Amino acid sequence: MSEQQLRDQLEALRQTLDDREIQLSIEERSALESLANNLEARLLVREANDESVADPSLVDGVHLMIEELEVRYPSTATMVRNIMQTLSNMGI
């Protein structure tokens, strides 16, 4: 998986967050926005350094977020799971 695929997935996540038909709680929306911002920042660092460092706290947080979204928002949970897989494939 490439950085472009991750960027595409992040864009899809942003579009989901902008879709007012998806009734996310304030906490869920905040967590997803934080995840998107964190991943975008990591991509910028990766571009600048061409180094990727695994972050266990990011991984744990994403896994927890997937579990919380799974029941109410399965398509959003799948999107976040795909982002997680792309990060894993990139060594992040």
Side-chain angles (χ1 to χ4, degrees):
M1 299 257 176
S2 70
E3 285 185 33
Q4 186 56 48
Q5 287 172 312
L6 180 58
R7 289 184 191 287
D8 293 344
Q9 291 168 346
L10 282 171
E11 179 59 29
L13 177 57
R14 290 279 186 206
Q15 289 174 357
T16 297
L17 288 169
D18 290 341
D19 185 349
R20 295 299 171 195
E21 291 182 21
I22 298 176
Q23 299 297 316
L24 297 169
S25 71
I26 293 171
E27 295 83 15
E28 291 165 335
R29 184 171 301 283
S30 177
L32 287 170
E33 287 173 348
S34 178
L35 171 66
N37 291 338
N38 187 327
L39 294 175
E40 287 172 344
R42 288 175 184 277
L43 281 171
L44 290 173
V45 168
R46 183 177 167 105
E47 287 174 1
N49 300 15
D50 199 30
E51 294 179 19
S52 54
V53 177
D55 182 352
S57 65
L58 175 64
V59 172
D60 292 342
V62 173
H63 282 296
L64 180 61
M65 189 179 307
I66 290 169
E67 288 176 19
E68 292 173 359
L69 292 171
E70 193 70 51
V71 174
R72 291 180 51 204
Y73 309 103
S75 63
T76 302
T78 299
M79 184 182 320
V80 174
R81 192 177 296 107
N82 290 340
I83 290 171
M84 184 69 191
Q85 184 61 47
T86 301
L87 290 170
S88 175
N89 292 344
M90 292 172 64
I92 298 176

